[in-house]
Amino acid sequence: QVQLVESGGGLVQAGGSLRLSCAASTSTFSNYNMGWFRQAPGKERDFVAAITKTGGTYYADSVKGRFTISRDNAKNTVYLQMNSLKPGDTAVYYCAADQRGWGRGPYNYWGQGTQVTVSS
């Protein structure tokens, strides 16, 4: 069982930046593909970005060029650097992990989410 804990969410003005972190409780973090998803009120959960075990990255078109996913295997942590934020980025952001699934999924493990609110 892998537990994922997100942090770094908050309130930011449009055009600002935030960095989300997701810490994983596993000693084999490097064996997991990781993803970030988001869910806005009244909408389905959407894919944002993913990073493979070997560092390959994949982004949703809506965030490409603004968001950057990275991982630090020594810290068992995956990050999502979000720049040029827009009100449309407002959502609860979730990280996910899986040893086989990658990209848009499926993922077996999910965090509880962290709220990101972008004001206009």
Side-chain angles (χ1 to χ4, degrees):
Q1 191 77 7
V2 178
Q3 291 187 328
L4 303 172
V5 179
E6 302 96 336
S7 62
L11 174 63
V12 64
Q13 288 188 330
S17 298
L18 281 174
R19 188 176 82 154
L20 305 184
S21 300
C22 172
S25 65
T26 173
S27 59
T28 59
F29 178 73
S30 61
N31 291 341
Y32 287 82
N33 300 312
M34 303 296 295
W36 284 99
F37 292 76
R38 66 187 181 186
Q39 187 168 20
K43 296 187 177 181
E44 294 185 353
R45 188 161 56 189
D46 288 332
F47 168 76
V48 175
I51 187 165
T52 67
K53 306 170 193 179
T54 55
T57 58
Y58 175 51
Y59 297 93
D61 287 344
S62 59
V63 306
K64 204 172 294 183
R66 299 188 298 125
F67 291 10
T68 303
I69 189 171
S70 61
R71 64 189 298 158
D72 185 337
N73 290 339
K75 296 183 178 180
N76 292 353
T77 300
V78 63
Y79 303 98
L80 186 67
Q81 177 67 44
M82 306 186 295
N83 298 329
S84 302
L85 283 161
K86 306 174 181 179
D89 295 318
T90 295
V92 177
Y93 283 71
Y94 299 90
C95 74
D98 200 274
Q99 289 185 305
R100 294 189 177 183
W102 79 283
R104 296 177 182 269
Y107 292 89
N108 198 26
Y109 302 103
W110 292 84
Q112 293 300 306
T114 185
Q115 176 71 47
V116 172
T117 303
V118 184
S119 64
S120 58

